[in-house]
Amino acid sequence: MEGPFIRVEDTGEVVPLRPEITTIGRGRGVDVRLADPSVSRLHAEFIRRGPYLYVVDLGLSRNGTRVNGRPIARRVLDDGDVVSFGAARCRVGGIPREDFTPEVELRRAAAPELTRREVDVLTSLCRPALSDEAFVAPATAREIADDLVVTEAAVKQHLLRLYQKFRIPEGINRRTRLANEVVALGLVRPTPVVPPQRTAGPGESPPQTANRRAS
């Protein structure tokens, strides 16, 4: 087989990697689908750049990605490396060995300066992705607009500037890529919204707690 490929250890299946980006996860629509429940719906990507291949954890998976047992955010791969997505393991093959430095780790650029409104947009964008689901798509422009009580056009303008600031190229899953970068950098850590507890009105008894035993 010419070019890089992965061998899924559980099944022995050999999957050639696409010329540019190969998505991996257990959800529909990914290029390589793994059935293990510890794998997120959209877990990671293999990216080819010339003779190099690197894997990128998409930042929204609770079980993470490891290369030869080491947790990574993104890492250049060498022939024979074992990449783990949660509990699922794949061995990489078909990578040229010449002029290759497997210990090179691709570092993320420093976070750009952000306005307060841009931080608000990113927080709203990432909130669904940091829910209890293993992976949930980031908020749409319409959902962000409703959350921030602004126009959808204004949100789209903010997103365009944020794509430029974080150097997110045009293409599919652009909002997801932006959310991945923001979460991986630790810039946004939204917490689940807890609905306020209703106050008892005149003549009403306080609401019973969930763990109070019935008399």
Side-chain angles (χ1 to χ4, degrees), residues 103-125:
E103 295 305 317
V104 173
E105 191 134 358
L106 302 182
R107 303 294 181 182
R108 294 181 183 272
E113 292 187 7
L114 301 171
T115 66
R116 181 162 186 169
R117 178 53 79 183
E118 287 171 344
V119 172
D120 290 342
V121 170
L122 290 175
T123 300
S124 184
L125 172 75

Side-chain angles (χ1 to χ4, degrees), residues 70-118:
R70 290 183 54 192
I72 58 92
R74 63 172 74 180
R75 185 173 178 83
V76 175
L77 298 171
D78 194 11
D79 200 71
D81 280 344
V82 175
V83 185
S84 302
F85 309 99
R89 290 159 52 95
C90 301
R91 187 175 296 275
V92 180
I95 300 176
R97 291 182 177 275
E98 62 272 16
D99 299 324
F100 196 79
T101 53
E103 295 305 317
V104 173
E105 191 134 358
L106 302 182
R107 303 294 181 182
R108 294 181 183 272
E113 292 187 7
L114 301 171
T115 66
R116 181 162 186 169
R117 178 53 79 183
E118 287 171 344

Side-chain angles (χ1 to χ4, degrees), residues 37-154:
S38 67
V39 178
S40 297
R41 291 183 178 89
L42 180 59
H43 198 110
E45 292 177 336
F46 288 104
I47 300 178
R48 294 174 62 179
R49 291 291 182 266
Y52 299 100
L53 173 70
Y54 62 97
V55 63
V56 179
D57 182 85
L58 290 181
L60 304 177
S61 59
R62 290 191 290 184
N63 295 314
T65 300
R66 299 183 303 280
V67 175
N68 300 327
R70 290 183 54 192
I72 58 92
R74 63 172 74 180
R75 185 173 178 83
V76 175
L77 298 171
D78 194 11
D79 200 71
D81 280 344
V82 175
V83 185
S84 302
F85 309 99
R89 290 159 52 95
C90 301
R91 187 175 296 275
V92 180
I95 300 176
R97 291 182 177 275
E98 62 272 16
D99 299 324
F100 196 79
T101 53
E103 295 305 317
V104 173
E105 191 134 358
L106 302 182
R107 303 294 181 182
R108 294 181 183 272
E113 292 187 7
L114 301 171
T115 66
R116 181 162 186 169
R117 178 53 79 183
E118 287 171 344
V119 172
D120 290 342
V121 170
L122 290 175
T123 300
S124 184
L125 172 75
C126 296
R127 185 176 290 117
L130 296 183
S131 67
D132 290 336
E133 294 278 347
F135 174 82
V136 179
T140 64
R142 178 71 266 168
E143 291 167 340
I144 296 170
D146 291 342
D147 185 28
L148 301 181
V149 196
V150 296
T151 66
E152 187 174 355

Side-chain angles (χ1 to χ4, degrees), residues 12-25:
E13 181 185 8
V14 175
V15 183
L17 300 181
R18 291 178 177 273
E20 294 185 358
I21 297 174
T22 304
T23 56
I24 189 163

